[in-house]
Structures are given as structure tokens and as C-alpha cells.
Amino acid sequence: MSDRPDFLVIMTDQHRWDWLGCNGHSVLRTPHIDSLAQGGTSFGQYFVASPVCMPNRASFMTGRYPSVHGLRYNGCHLPLTANTFVDVLRAAGYQTASVGKSHLQPMIDKTVAPKGKTGSIAEAWKTDFTAYGHEQPSRYSGTENYDLPLPYYGFDHIDMVTRHGTEASGHYRQWLRRNYPNAAENPLRQLPHNYTCPQALRTDIPEDAYPTAYIRDSAVRHLQANADNEDPLFTFVSFPDPHHPFNPPGRYWDMYNPDQFALGPRFADHVAPPPPLMALYEDFVAGRAPDARTFAFMAREQHLREAMALTAGMIAMIDDAVGAILSALEESGRRDRTVVIFTSDHGDYLGDSDLLLKGPWMRDSINRVPLIWNDPDLSQLVARNDALASTVDIAPSILARAGLLPYAGMQGRSFLAELQGDRSLARASLLIEYNDANMRFGYSAPARIRSLVTDDWALRVPGGESWGELYDRRRDPDQVKNLWDAPDHAETRRKCTAQLLDHLIAQMDESPRARHPA
């Protein structure tokens, strides 16, 4: 058997940092995920490269920022020509598998070819758009498993789950059609309930037929089937929950009561609400519903608490699934050689300033997510790492742990030294990118936002707008007092802007490297 460690990466979807027991949540119970933190390192300041599913998942896979890897906002594709850290592992002899959500290509059926006049050139890149579409629902319209072309972004085994909740598709829906045909054809059917929160849906799908259970069972089978594999394993297990709609099945629906949950910072707490928050407030007062189910919206206090309770139910189901997966890993005999990593792709406002979901207003609630590194072979792991870390840092850290070199153009940095308490090379600041495909929430164009985070400050600059945001992270942890225009903080704004500019200057693709003659 190889001396290289196995890796098991577990990812959730739209799961903010403080919604785990080990990160201090006073109501939610997550004993199995907490056990990973108790035997490993929990990160206190881990931030996404972008608080949007597809761009950040591509940053996780490539170790590169969206402006460089090309998947800038939902609806784009990670180019098939892009290398991922999984490709590096595979080339080094790892058996690679993805179970659950991938979301490196769009999950809706629509024409992906650029539109233009006959003979015109519509895009800056020469791309074969006919090669994409492997995550679209039409690929999974039957009952027999659709075979993706392999390797798929470095994965040799794919068990695909697309979309969310009862509407989840991919290989999951093909399995559902074979085993629960009525549930498969009636995804929005629900049982009676007294919740009035938008997107609250009490599904009649049995617990064992819900996507979380399907992913749990598929992951368990994969670990069991590879227990005696001589090669090292990299297994990516990705749950579509606790992303909306709010539809935990069975006993998880009423596991928590809305009255148990306290609200965080409110809209009324803001000294000078920035334009996107004011736009959301004006929509709320006018009774205007969001243009799409994926758009953030402001909600009444009862709706916020209901969303919290149902989200807690979805996370509880994930935690139980993690427990089953960890038990299977233990039974396989490979636990002592497996690095287990738990994280999420982005967060959710989930009551922050009276908002739900996510959108083009940057907050820690959508930018800061869990990261736990549980490593049986690294000695003297610190229980808590509060050094700044980014999504782009996971790929180089995994490769370093496997004893492999990153490829040219990888922008992240390994944080292995920080896991053992050495912060001499820790980040002084990090960059977060946000690119919107829609003009909304008071922006004069589709939002282009660049944010800087340091231990002390959060700076957010929307391109083309006359305003910005600066918050003191230590004295104003809820970030309700915007110091952008404060005269006594002009120097801080200047210094943070200079640091942000350094990050932006570095956003150049360093691959391919120049080949100089000897």
C-alpha cells in the first residue's frame, strides 16, 4: 500500500461558519462534524474566494481565483482544458472519486453556444461549447445512469447530484425513478404544515430517498468497495444542503423549533445602510418578491426563525450522514491513514440584517465558512487556527500533504505549517471576488465587487459605484457601522485600498510559464 495519505473531503452547500456546534452555535447539535474538530484543527478565519457556488467550487478545484480560472459567475463553465489538483493526485497514482454535487458546469438546460451573426466571433476564447452540458437535467432524463466522459476534472468515478432538495437531479434522480417513481415525478408535492416562510416545503419523500441519504449511501459503498485498494484514495463527498429550499425530510423537519433561535444583527442596527441593503429593504416594504428563487430577500422575523429551524434540520441530517461515512471509513481499516477535511462552498445571510439566501452584498455570513482539517499523521495539530485562509489554499495544502508540487499558476498557498502552530508565513490579508450576472439591488450594472479581509479590517469596493464599505472587524464584529466616509479612518481606508490593489495586480495568469532558452 502507498505511503501517501488518503483524503476524504466533505463539502456542504450554503453553510455559514457559525452554524456548527464546534464553532459555537448555541442550539444546533453537530456531534459527528464536531468530532472532526476535536481530533483536528478548526479554522476561525477561513473565507471563500467568491461567495457563489460555481466560481468558488472552481477555485477549490484549481487553487485559482475566478478572474483567472474563468468560471466567474454561475452559468459559466470551468474550461475542460483547466487542470485541477485532483488531476495532479490522479497523475500521482490516486484513485479519485466524486460523490454528490460538482457544479463546475451549469445545471439547467439551455443553449450554451454563444449567439451571434453567421460568421461572427462572439467570444474572446476559442471554446468547443458542444463538449459541455454534462450536469444539465436532460442528460439524466431516463432511468439508466448517464455515463459522463472520464476523467471528469480529474475524477475517475462520478456519482452526480445536481440542483437542490426535492428537485435534485443527476444520477440521484435516475436512481429515484427506479426506486421511488412517484417521488421522482412529483418533486414539489408536500405534506401539510404551518410554516409560512418562502421556500419552506415539507416533502413526503422518505428520509432514505432524500439526496443527503443517497450521497451518504453512495459514499459508504465507495469506501467499502475500495477498502483493500493498494492505491491511495481521494474521495470528494459533496452535499447540496443546507441550500434552500428549506425542506428537511421526515424527523428532521421538526427537530428544531423556530422559537429556539436568536436573531443576529438586524437591518435597524445599521448606522447608514449601504445601497444594496436599502434596495432590499425598499422591496420588502413594498411587498415586492425577488425576481428569482435564488435571489436574496428581506423577511419578517418569524420567517427568519423558520428558515433557521429548517436549516438546522438539514444540517442535522448532514451531520448524521457524516457519522455514517466516518463509521464506514473506520470499518474499512483506512481511517488511520485518511486526512478528513470538512468545508462549505459559501454561506447564507440566514437572518443577518433581516436577509435570507445570498447576493451581491458582501458579509461575513456569506464569505466565511467552516474548514476543519483532521489529520491522524500530522503531529501537534493546533485545535484552532485563526490565521486567515482562503478557498484557493486548500488545493496546495492537499498537494503538499501528499508530497506533490502544485502546477504553475496556482495562486493559493499551503497552510500546513499553521496547522502545527507556525504562523510566520501566515496571510496578512486575503482577496474575495464577486461577479454578478444580473443588475439588481440598486447597482448601476451587474455587480463587480472586490473585498479585502485582514485580521482587523474588512474593505469592500464595488466597481463603478460612488460608495464603498470599511468595517472594524474587532470593535464592530456585526459590521453595522460603515467607516468608509469617516474622516478619522481615511488613512485606514487608504492602507486597505493599497493592499487590495496589490491583490488585484497579482490577478494575472502565470500559466503557461515562459520557456527560456538554456
Side-chain angles (χ1 to χ4, degrees), residues 155-224:
F155 291 109
D156 280 317
H157 170 82
I158 293 282
D159 197 338
M160 182 70 73
V161 178
T162 64
R163 305 178 74 176
H164 302 97
T166 60
E167 297 172 89
S169 186
H171 293 137
Y172 160 74
R173 187 146 298 272
Q174 295 181 305
W175 169 86
L176 197 67
R177 289 191 188 101
R178 295 193 298 271
N179 294 278
Y180 298 88
N182 192 45
E185 299 309 320
N186 297 278
L188 297 181
R189 191 176 66 183
Q190 59 177 315
L191 300 170
H193 63 85
N194 60 359
Y195 280 66
T196 57
C197 174
Q199 300 194 48
L201 186 154
R202 188 168 193 176
T203 178
D204 64 351
I205 292 179
E207 288 179 23
D208 282 342
Y210 189 75
T212 296
Y214 172 84
I215 293 168
R216 173 199 67 201
D217 295 344
S218 295
V220 166
R221 285 195 299 271
H222 179 77
L223 293 172
Q224 292 171 338

Side-chain angles (χ1 to χ4, degrees), residues 180-432:
Y180 298 88
N182 192 45
E185 299 309 320
N186 297 278
L188 297 181
R189 191 176 66 183
Q190 59 177 315
L191 300 170
H193 63 85
N194 60 359
Y195 280 66
T196 57
C197 174
Q199 300 194 48
L201 186 154
R202 188 168 193 176
T203 178
D204 64 351
I205 292 179
E207 288 179 23
D208 282 342
Y210 189 75
T212 296
Y214 172 84
I215 293 168
R216 173 199 67 201
D217 295 344
S218 295
V220 166
R221 285 195 299 271
H222 179 77
L223 293 172
Q224 292 171 338
N226 285 276
D228 298 324
N229 200 316
E230 293 296 317
D231 296 323
L233 307 178
F234 177 83
T235 307
F236 178 54
V237 179
S238 182
F239 295 101
D241 277 359
H243 190 289
H244 58 99
F246 308 110
N247 59 187
R251 61 194 168 101
Y252 296 102
W253 173 268
D254 51 10
M255 182 172 284
Y256 291 92
N257 187 300
D259 293 336
Q260 292 178 268
F261 295 88
L263 298 179
R266 308 297 303 276
F267 169 79
D269 296 329
H270 287 264
V271 176
L277 181 57
M278 280 304 303
L280 286 160
Y281 173 73
E282 291 164 3
D283 285 345
F284 173 68
V285 171
R288 288 189 290 267
D291 291 337
R293 287 195 301 170
T294 55
F295 285 13
F297 60 92
M298 190 169 285
R300 294 190 289 110
E301 181 173 327
Q302 180 62 23
H303 288 168
L304 299 175
R305 295 182 189 276
E306 289 178 0
M308 289 177 172
L310 297 177
T311 295
M314 290 191 282
I315 295 173
M317 187 175 190
I318 291 170
D319 186 72
D320 286 342
V322 169
I325 293 168
L326 293 178
S327 293
L329 180 61
E330 190 74 42
E331 293 168 5
S332 75
R334 301 178 77 103
R335 179 65 182 96
D336 289 343
R337 58 165 297 161
T338 301
V339 178
V340 182
I341 301 165
F342 179 89
T343 190
S344 185
D345 62 352
H346 57 79
D348 189 305
Y349 295 128
L350 204 54
D352 183 355
S353 305
D354 298 347
L355 303 179
L356 291 174
L357 314 189
K358 62 186 183 298
W361 181 46
M362 299 298 93
R363 302 288 290 171
D364 277 8
S365 49
I366 62 172
N367 289 336
R368 184 181 177 210
V369 295
L371 176 60
I372 300 170
W373 184 286
N374 183 287
D375 195 323
D377 285 339
L378 277 187
S379 62
Q380 299 178 332
L381 281 177
V382 297
R384 175 70 171 256
N385 175 30
D386 283 322
L388 293 168
S390 168
T391 300
V392 296
D393 297 333
I394 291 184
S397 299
I398 289 176
L399 293 180
R401 184 65 182 82
L404 301 171
L405 295 174
Y407 41 73
M410 191 172 283
Q411 297 173 287
R413 51 174 300 280
S414 170
F415 49 62
L416 292 188
E418 285 137 54
L419 294 175
Q420 297 175 292
D422 181 2
R423 294 184 56 172
S424 60
L425 298 177
R427 288 179 174 274
S429 63
L430 56 79
L431 169 71
I432 301 172

Side-chain angles (χ1 to χ4, degrees), residues 419-459:
L419 294 175
Q420 297 175 292
D422 181 2
R423 294 184 56 172
S424 60
L425 298 177
R427 288 179 174 274
S429 63
L430 56 79
L431 169 71
I432 301 172
E433 297 185 354
Y434 184 95
N435 304 302
D436 207 348
N438 306 279
M439 187 174 72
R440 50 181 171 154
F441 300 166
Y443 288 93
S444 58
R448 302 288 181 264
I449 307 168
R450 297 297 180 264
S451 300
L452 177 89
V453 179
T454 74
D455 286 331
D456 298 315
W457 300 98
L459 177 78

